[in-house]
């Protein structure tokens, strides 16, 4: 039986480890099938490998629904134009967005924010966490959490969503690439249950196939609630650590609250 982790990040987006290093840590942790789901950036099995870990094609696409940022994980895509073109566009959008975030932070007196964040990104993909890391190093905030709470999180000055495509578009490119769209961490959006159900209805109508029932060490009651929503909507269930690096040790590869037995795992589609 394979041990799955279908949500993880590397230096290709906002993770701290290279894909090779991530695979080594995953293998150490007993993970035998890993999806590397970098933000707006596909990772295919042809790109990286490890003798003990099967790589499942993956990505995590940023999009917007009801003026809120939503993440859709794509699994098992083939190397193809819809996903490659989409992600190439989003990378350009991320640069424009970073320039706007930097302009806003500079107005608050945080000079050289763009150069600092780019340096943190290692000149790979740029995102809000890179601004947050730079702000911590500069002493503008005490930790990443404070950076998001004060400047970068939902509704704050650095939260710019105008560059993201609509939810239906993100689902469409995953489907067109032969992949499985998974609604990532549904409990992280801080929605009322009524709103979350409306999101799931639209997600299904647009071609969504699975809910991420387990994301890291979520409380058991949340996982059980999401399992019920999965059954009610006749969807599949996914599970992943959302590991970004050793700096977030409670999300180690393979680390997530166990998937309840009353849902059909998304991997039943390919096993
Ligand atoms: P972006 O892709 O630029 O929109 O940034 C989103 C990423 O920021 C998420 O994938 C998380 O990794 C990270 N993030 C979001 N909220 C927080 C937070 N409160 N503290 C630390 N990191 C966060
Ligand atoms: Mn992230
Ligand atoms: Mn996410
Ligand atoms: Mn993620």
């Amino acid at each position: 039986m394979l041990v799955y982790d279908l949500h993880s990040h590397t230096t290709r987006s906002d993770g701290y480890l290279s894909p090779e290093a991530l695979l080594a840590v995953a293998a150490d942790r007993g993970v035998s099938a890993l999806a590397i789901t970098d933000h707006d950036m596909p990772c295919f099995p042809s790109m990286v490998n490890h003798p003990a870990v099967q790589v499942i094609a993956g990505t995590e696409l940023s999009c917007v629904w009801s003026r809120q940022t939503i993440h859709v994980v794509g699994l098992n895509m083939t190397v193809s134009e819809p996903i490659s073109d989409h992600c190439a566009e989003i990378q350009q959008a991320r640069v424009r967005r970073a320039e706007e975030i930097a302009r806003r932070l500079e107005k608050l007196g945080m000079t050289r924010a763009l150069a600092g964040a780019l340096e943190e990104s290692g000149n790979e993909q740029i995102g809000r966490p890179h601004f947050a890391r730079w702000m911590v190093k500069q002493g503008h905030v005490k930790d990443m959490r404070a950076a998001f709470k004060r400047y970068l999180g939902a509704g704050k000055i650095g939260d710019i969503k105008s560059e993201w495509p609509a939810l239906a578009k993100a689902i469409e490119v995953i489907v067109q690439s032969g992949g499985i769209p998974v609604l990532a961490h549904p409990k992280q959006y801080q929605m009322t249950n009524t709103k979350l159900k409306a999101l799931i209805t639209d997600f299904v109508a647009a071609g969504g196939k699975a809910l991420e029932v387990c994301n890291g060490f979520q409380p058991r009651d949340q996982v059980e609630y999401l399992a019920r929503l999965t059954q009610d909507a006749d969807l599949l269930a996914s599970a992943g650590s959302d590991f970004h690096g050793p700096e977030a040790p409670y999300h180690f590869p393979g680390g997530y609250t166990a998937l309840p037995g009353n849902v059909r795992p998304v991997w039943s589609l390919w096993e």
Side-chain angles (χ1 to χ4, degrees), residues 6-239:
L6 297 177
H7 193 153
S8 65
H9 295 273
T10 73
T11 47
R12 298 181 74 231
S13 64
D14 57 357
Y16 291 80
L17 302 179
S18 67
E20 293 76 15
L22 170 63
L23 277 168
V25 174
D28 279 350
R29 291 280 182 172
V31 172
S32 51
L34 181 75
I36 300 178
T37 55
D38 279 307
H39 299 288
D40 307 305
M41 179 82 89
C43 182
F44 299 106
S46 54
M47 292 162 56
V48 63
N49 60 72
H50 187 284
V53 185
Q54 183 186 335
V55 174
I56 312 284
T59 187
E60 181 177 17
L61 299 183
S62 312
C63 57
V64 170
W65 179 82
S66 183
R67 295 182 304 280
Q68 243 181 296
T69 298
I70 302 294
H71 287 171
V72 178
V73 162
L75 299 173
N76 238 354
M77 294 80 57
T78 55
V79 178
S80 52
E81 270 178 20
I83 191 73
S84 304
D85 292 354
H86 179 82
C87 290
E89 274 175 43
I90 302 280
Q91 293 312 314
Q92 291 179 5
R94 279 184 170 275
V95 174
R96 292 194 297 271
R97 172 185 184 245
E99 288 165 355
E100 179 59 22
I101 293 174
R103 269 193 290 277
R104 294 180 179 196
L105 294 178
E106 301 231 355
K107 278 191 193 148
L108 299 177
M110 291 185 232
T111 52
R112 289 187 39 80
L114 186 60
L118 282 171
E119 199 181 322
E120 286 299 322
S121 75
N123 292 311
E124 291 200 67
Q125 177 182 123
I126 181 106
R128 285 177 288 168
H130 305 109
F131 281 95
R133 289 183 212 175
W134 172 79
M135 286 158 86
V136 174
K137 281 192 185 159
Q138 292 297 304
H140 293 305
V141 288
K142 75 171 193 309
D143 55 21
M144 298 259 301
R145 199 190 160 89
F148 273 88
K149 197 167 173 202
R150 281 169 65 183
Y151 302 110
L152 300 166
K156 304 297 174 190
I157 193 166
D159 173 35
I160 297 162
K161 303 177 285 273
S162 51
E163 298 287 359
W164 299 154
L167 171 72
K169 170 73 182 168
I171 295 169
E172 183 186 72
V173 300
I174 293 167
V175 170
Q176 284 175 343
S177 303
I180 305 157
V182 181
L183 183 63
H185 43 63
K187 278 308 233 177
Q188 257 180 43
Y189 307 122
Q190 316 272 359
M191 290 175 180
T192 61
N193 289 345
T194 307
K195 189 153 186 196
L196 181 53
K197 285 177 188 168
L199 167 60
I200 292 169
T201 300
D202 285 2
F203 175 74
V204 171
K209 291 281 177 277
L211 297 190
E212 191 176 66
V213 170
C214 307
N215 178 277
F217 288 126
Q218 261 175 301
R220 184 89 228 151
D221 61 323
Q222 283 190 9
V223 169
E224 280 165 7
Y225 178 69
L226 291 173
R228 280 204 298 283
L229 293 185
T230 301
Q231 287 181 313
D232 291 349
D234 203 16
L235 290 166
L236 295 154
S238 189

